[in-house]
Amino acid sequence: MQRIIEITTDKHEGLYDITSEVKTFVSESGISEGIVNVYAQGATAAIMIQENWDESVQTDVVNLLKKIIPRGVWLHDRQDGNGDAHLKAGIVGPSETIPLVNGKLGLSTWQNVFFCEFDGPRQRRQVMVTVMSG
Amino acid sequence: MQRIIEITTDKHEGLYDITSEVKTFVSESGISEGIVNVYAQGATAAIMIQENWDESVQTDVVNLLKKIIPRGVWLHDRQDGNGDAHLKAGIVGPSETIPLVNGKLGLSTWQNVFFCEFDGPRQRRQVMVTVMSG
Amino acid sequence: MQRIIEITTDKHEGLYDITSEVKTFVSESGISEGIVNVYAQGATAAIMIQENWDESVQTDVVNLLKKIIPRGVWLHDRQDGNGDAHLKAGIVGPSETIPLVNGKLGLSTWQNVFFCEFDGPRQRRQVMVTVMSG
C-alpha cells in the first residue's frame, strides 16, 4: 500500500518531523508485520531518522552539513546555484526503510522520521510511503 | 519474519560485526529470494556495510567520524552531552536493506554487516532483522 | 524478482548512471506496486540517488568525498592502499530502496540511480536489483 505525504517547507534548510503522518498511514494500512519505505521525491531533499527531544539535534544536523558541504563552491552552482543541496541530499539519502512490528513502526523511543529540506522554502514536497507485508 | 538480535557493546564507539547472527536468521527463515532489512533501534547507533579483513577499517570509520563530527560542540550537548553520537547515527543511518539470493545474504566477499555504537558502552542494544519474501 | 546489472568502470572514481538498466528490469518484471532494492556488491562501491542534468553534480560528489576522506592516511592502507574507498563506500552505503508506483520507478524528475566507483577501474562490477511486489 502506498500513500503520498505532502509537506510545505518554510525554511531554506530544515528538518521536518513526519513521524505522525507515517504512523497514521501504517495504522490505516492494517498490515501488522513487514517493512515501511519512506522516500523523498526531490533531488535536494532527504529522509533522516533522528532524535526529537527538542529542536537542538535538527539544528545541529543543518549546521554540520553546512560545515562539511559549504555553499557556492561547486561546479553545479553554474547551473542553478544549489550544488550544496544536491550533495547533502545524496549523502543523507532519499529514503529510510523501517521495520513494521505488531502493526507499529519499529522505531525506538527517541527515533523519529524527518524530511530534510536542503533547498527551500517549497510549497509542495512529496514523500512516498510504501507499506510492505512480510 | 522478524527477529531481534541483541548486542552488548564494550566501547564508547566501535563497530561490531553481526553478519553471522543475520545469516543464521536468514537461513532459519527458509526464505530463498527477497530482501533482508537490518535496523538498529537506538538514536545513537547505526548499521554499516563494511569490510572485515581485519580491525583496520572499523577503526578508520570511528576515526573518520570523530574528525568530521567532533565531540562537545553541538547544541544538543546541553541536554545529554552526546550530540556527536546523534549526528553520526543520522548520517550513517539506522538500516541497510540487503538482497536475499538463493537462500543467502547477497553480500560480496568483503562485505559484512556492522552494528555501529556511537554512545556506549551499552548493556543491551537491539537490532531488528526482517526477512521479506520476493 | 532479481537481476544482476553488470558494469565496467573506466575511472578510479566516478558515478555511473544505471537508471535505464533498472527501469528496463522493473518494466520487464510486470510488477506494478511495491519497492525496488538496488544493491552494489563490492566493499569499495556504493549506490547514490543524484541529479543527472549534466556531469557537474557527479564530479562534485567525487570531489566532496575526496576532501572529506583523503587518500593515504588510513590504517587500512597498510593492507591494500584503498582505505579511503572503503570509507566512502561505507558512508554513502551500498543500496537504495525506491518505491515502485504504477509499474514505474518512483523517482522524481531529477533523481537518477548512480553506481559509485571508489576503487576502479574495474572490468566487472555487479549490482543486484530486487523488485518486491507490495
Side-chain angles (χ1 to χ4, degrees):
Chain A
M1 296 183 73
Q2 292 182 318
R3 181 177 295 175
I4 291 171
I5 295 174
E6 294 201 346
I7 304 155
T8 299
T9 61
D10 57 356
K11 286 175 272 191
H12 180 60
E13 296 184 273
L15 273 63
Y16 295 82
D17 194 336
I18 59 171
T19 313
S20 68
E21 287 88 342
V22 177
K23 282 184 173 172
T24 298
F25 177 46
V26 164
S27 173
E28 291 175 10
S29 77
I31 298 173
S32 63
E33 187 187 299
I35 54 176
V36 180
N37 178 257
V38 182
Y39 186 92
Q41 291 177 312
T44 54
I47 299 293
M48 183 184 285
I49 305 292
Q50 194 49 273
E51 184 175 291
N52 190 24
W53 170 263
D54 61 11
E55 289 285 323
S56 63
V57 183
Q58 297 96 297
T59 305
D60 286 336
V61 169
V62 170
N63 289 337
L64 166 65
L65 290 170
K66 272 185 188 167
K67 199 189 76 174
I68 298 175
I69 306 171
R71 207 172 173 186
V73 299
W74 308 103
L75 291 177
H76 186 72
D77 291 331
R78 296 174 201 165
Q79 268 78 49
D80 46 9
N82 64 354
D84 64 306
H86 286 290
L87 293 168
K88 291 167 184 172
I91 294 291
V92 175
S95 81
E96 293 291 341
T97 304
I98 305 158
L100 172 57
V101 187
N102 295 328
K104 293 185 178 169
L105 270 185
L107 302 169
S108 63
T109 310
W110 301 112
Q111 287 180 324
N112 282 265
V113 184
F114 286 93
F115 177 85
C116 305
E117 174 64 80
F118 297 126
D119 192 27
R122 298 280 183 112
Q123 187 61 32
R124 186 163 159 268
R125 287 289 207 180
Q126 293 190 316
V127 176
M128 177 66 75
V129 183
T130 305
V131 182
M132 304 280 293
S133 179
Chain B
M1 297 183 72
Q2 292 182 318
R3 180 178 294 175
I4 291 171
I5 295 174
E6 293 202 345
I7 304 155
T8 299
T9 61
D10 58 356
K11 287 174 271 192
H12 181 60
E13 296 184 272
L15 272 63
Y16 296 81
D17 194 335
I18 59 171
T19 314
S20 67
E21 288 87 341
V22 178
K23 282 184 174 173
T24 298
F25 177 47
V26 165
S27 172
E28 291 174 11
S29 76
I31 298 173
S32 64
E33 187 187 299
I35 54 175
V36 180
N37 179 258
V38 182
Y39 187 92
Q41 290 177 313
T44 55
I47 299 293
M48 183 184 286
I49 306 292
Q50 194 49 274
E51 184 175 291
N52 190 24
W53 170 263
D54 61 11
E55 289 286 322
S56 63
V57 183
Q58 297 95 299
T59 305
D60 286 336
V61 168
V62 170
N63 290 337
L64 167 66
L65 290 170
K66 272 186 188 166
K67 199 189 76 173
I68 298 175
I69 306 171
R71 209 171 171 187
V73 298
W74 307 104
L75 290 176
H76 186 71
D77 292 331
R78 296 176 201 166
Q79 267 78 49
D80 45 11
N82 64 355
D84 64 307
H86 286 291
L87 293 169
K88 291 167 184 172
I91 294 290
V92 176
S95 80
E96 292 292 340
T97 304
I98 304 158
L100 172 56
V101 187
N102 295 327
K104 294 186 176 167
L105 270 185
L107 301 169
S108 63
T109 310
W110 301 112
Q111 286 180 324
N112 282 266
V113 184
F114 287 92
F115 177 84
C116 305
E117 174 64 82
F118 296 127
D119 193 27
R122 299 281 182 111
Q123 187 61 34
R124 186 162 158 270
R125 288 289 207 178
Q126 294 189 316
V127 176
M128 177 65 75
V129 183
T130 305
V131 182
M132 303 281 293
S133 180
Chain C
M1 296 183 73
Q2 292 181 318
R3 181 177 294 175
I4 292 172
I5 295 174
E6 294 201 345
I7 304 156
T8 299
T9 61
D10 58 356
K11 286 177 271 191
H12 180 60
E13 296 183 274
L15 272 63
Y16 295 82
D17 193 336
I18 59 171
T19 313
S20 67
E21 288 88 342
V22 177
K23 282 184 174 173
T24 298
F25 178 46
V26 164
S27 173
E28 290 175 11
S29 77
I31 297 173
S32 63
E33 187 187 299
I35 54 175
V36 179
N37 178 258
V38 182
Y39 186 91
Q41 291 176 312
T44 54
I47 300 293
M48 183 183 286
I49 305 291
Q50 194 49 272
E51 184 175 290
N52 190 23
W53 170 263
D54 61 12
E55 289 286 322
S56 64
V57 183
Q58 296 97 297
T59 306
D60 286 336
V61 169
V62 170
N63 289 337
L64 167 66
L65 290 170
K66 273 186 188 167
K67 199 189 78 175
I68 298 175
I69 306 172
R71 208 171 173 186
V73 298
W74 307 103
L75 291 177
H76 186 72
D77 292 331
R78 296 174 200 165
Q79 269 77 49
D80 46 10
N82 63 355
D84 64 309
H86 286 292
L87 293 168
K88 290 167 185 173
I91 293 292
V92 176
S95 81
E96 292 292 340
T97 304
I98 305 158
L100 172 56
V101 187
N102 295 329
K104 293 186 179 169
L105 271 184
L107 301 169
S108 62
T109 310
W110 301 113
Q111 287 181 323
N112 283 263
V113 184
F114 287 92
F115 177 84
C116 305
E117 174 64 80
F118 296 127
D119 192 27
R122 298 280 183 112
Q123 186 62 35
R124 186 163 158 269
R125 288 288 208 180
Q126 293 189 317
V127 176
M128 177 66 75
V129 182
T130 305
V131 183
M132 304 280 292
S133 179

